[in-house]
Amino acid sequence: MTNSTIAYDPAATDEQGTAPAPPESSPHDRKRGPSPRTRIRALLKHLALILTGAVMIYPLLWMVASSLRPDDIIFREPGILLQTLETANYTDGWNALSSPFSVYLFNSAVVVLGCIVGNLVSCSMAAYAFARLEFRFKKPAFALMLLTIMLPFHVVIVPQYILFSQIGWVNTFWPLIVPKLLATDAFFVFLMVQFIRGIPKDMDEAARIDGAGHARIFGQIILPMMVPALATTTIFTFIWTWNDFFSALIYLTDPSMFTVPVALRAFVDATGESSWGSLFAMSIVSLLPVFVAFLVGQKFLVKGIATTGIK
């Protein structure tokens, strides 16, 4: 007795006029992996990504290696392999300036904390007003707010400096923090507006029926749901403020008030007698908070950007 194979014909029908179901694939067919050409293509893509990543991370690895070398051989050895470890660059760099480097780290931390609080409070409130409230000239005001994103910072730095100088805020942290309390970062306002627009208005209406006002709706309903957008704002504000060199250079003149970027500039001497080893060592120290912040908030950053604008 022999087994016969019945071919599947999509046009064939049974006695009730229905077409038979196609034959199921065998387990061998389901376990079949990608073709060799697909594997080779994926391998080449991964190799290209690895090479590109190595090229991009090489300057950072070279800076780490240079922070552990003597000054006289830093620029004579372009490689990243170390023959000796000059750990004295870290101790010398920490105490090389007029104040210990911990003072500059603390100054940057104060400015960063103030800017983060200012952006979270002011930008979230402004975003709620644009996304939920109805008022005259709402659309022109929103368009004007977006236009400020394209306005270079150097255009307003002179009138701002004159204003802060007249009220006696030069050489203080107030010029770096107070503008953040006025929702001057239009990018974060736009980011939060798009996020709030993705929250259903039914929740606002239900809370309004229960007698809640805008303050309660914003504080108890909208704000807890904005955690991804708030986390994204926190991370970007931290990185941008920590690395801000120009504003701190303009407003801070006392060396004891310097932030980390301005303090690093003090290691470079115009006469050529620069302490490159100490500079690279303190640069690595200043990069650690940014690296830790990005590593901890990476998932919130991706989620905040990915969900912005989804309705």
Side-chain angles (χ1 to χ4, degrees):
M1 184 176 183
T2 60
N3 294 330
S4 59
T5 303
I6 301 176
Y8 168 67
D9 185 6
T13 58
D14 56 10
E15 296 178 355
Q16 297 179 355
T18 58
E24 297 182 357
S25 59
S26 63
H28 177 72
D29 295 335
R30 290 195 298 266
K31 293 180 180 179
R32 183 178 299 174
S35 61
R37 180 178 298 179
T38 303
R39 293 179 178 178
I40 294 176
R41 188 181 296 111
L43 179 61
L44 292 177
K45 289 182 179 179
H46 283 82
L47 289 177
L49 291 175
I50 292 173
L51 292 176
T52 304
V55 172
M56 296 179 64
I57 203 175
Y58 178 81
L60 178 61
L61 296 178
W62 181 84
M63 185 171 66
V64 174
S66 299
S67 67
L68 298 172
R69 288 172 175 163
D71 291 343
D72 54 345
I73 65 172
I74 287 179
F75 296 103
R76 289 190 299 174
E77 296 184 5
I80 59 176
L81 298 179
L82 295 174
Q83 297 180 355
T84 59
L85 293 178
E86 190 72 18
T87 57
N89 288 333
Y90 286 86
T91 56
D92 295 342
W94 191 270
N95 301 305
L97 303 179
S98 58
S99 300
F101 204 77
S102 57
V103 174
Y104 311 120
L105 292 174
F106 177 77
N107 294 339
S108 291
V110 171
V111 175
V112 166
L113 182 61
C115 292
I116 290 176
V117 174
N119 273 339
L120 291 180
V121 174
S122 62
C123 293
S124 61
M125 295 176 64
Y128 177 80
F130 281 120
R132 287 293 194 261
L133 301 184
E134 295 295 335
F135 52 90
R136 295 184 61 184
F137 306 112
K138 174 181 175 180
K139 292 183 179 179
F142 186 72
L144 183 64
M145 183 271 298
L146 292 179
L147 287 177
T148 60
I149 299 178
M150 297 180 289
L151 186 66
F153 174 75
H154 306 79
V155 175
V156 298
I157 187 63
V158 174
Q160 282 186 359
Y161 183 85
I162 295 175
L163 174 63
F164 292 137
S165 177
Q166 290 178 350
I167 61 179
W169 281 4
V170 175
N171 201 32
T172 65
F173 295 146
W174 294 118
L176 306 177
I177 298 176
V178 170
K180 306 300 181 181
L181 298 172
L182 304 176
T184 56
D185 286 334
F187 172 77
F188 298 128
V189 177
F190 176 73
L191 179 74
M192 295 184 186
V193 166
Q194 294 300 104
F195 195 92
I196 294 175
R197 286 176 177 175
I199 300 175
K201 292 186 177 180
D202 297 341
M203 305 182 67
D204 300 21
E205 296 175 358
R208 194 171 291 110
I209 292 175
D210 292 338
H214 287 293
R216 186 177 176 185
I217 293 174
F218 172 72
Q220 297 184 1
I221 297 178
I222 301 298
L223 204 59
M225 300 182 66
M226 290 176 56
V227 172
L230 296 176
T232 303
T233 301
T234 300
I235 296 171
F236 276 124
T237 303
F238 179 89
I239 295 175
W240 293 348
T241 306
W242 187 270
N243 296 328
D244 185 18
F245 171 76
F246 186 74
S247 299
L249 180 66
I250 293 296
Y251 292 112
L252 302 179
T253 58
D254 187 0
S256 63
M257 301 289 293
F258 284 172
T259 56
V260 168
V262 182
L264 291 176
R265 177 63 178 82
F267 283 98
V268 181
D269 189 0
T271 61
E273 298 294 333
S274 302
S275 302
W276 295 108
S278 301
L279 171 63
F280 292 144
M282 293 302 100
S283 298
I284 296 299
V285 173
S286 65
L287 283 177
L288 291 179
V290 178
F291 177 76
V292 173
F294 183 81
L295 188 65
V296 173
Q298 183 180 8
K299 62 178 181 179
F300 297 102
L301 181 64
V302 175
K303 184 178 179 181
I305 297 177
T307 56
T308 299
I310 297 179
K311 297 182 180 180

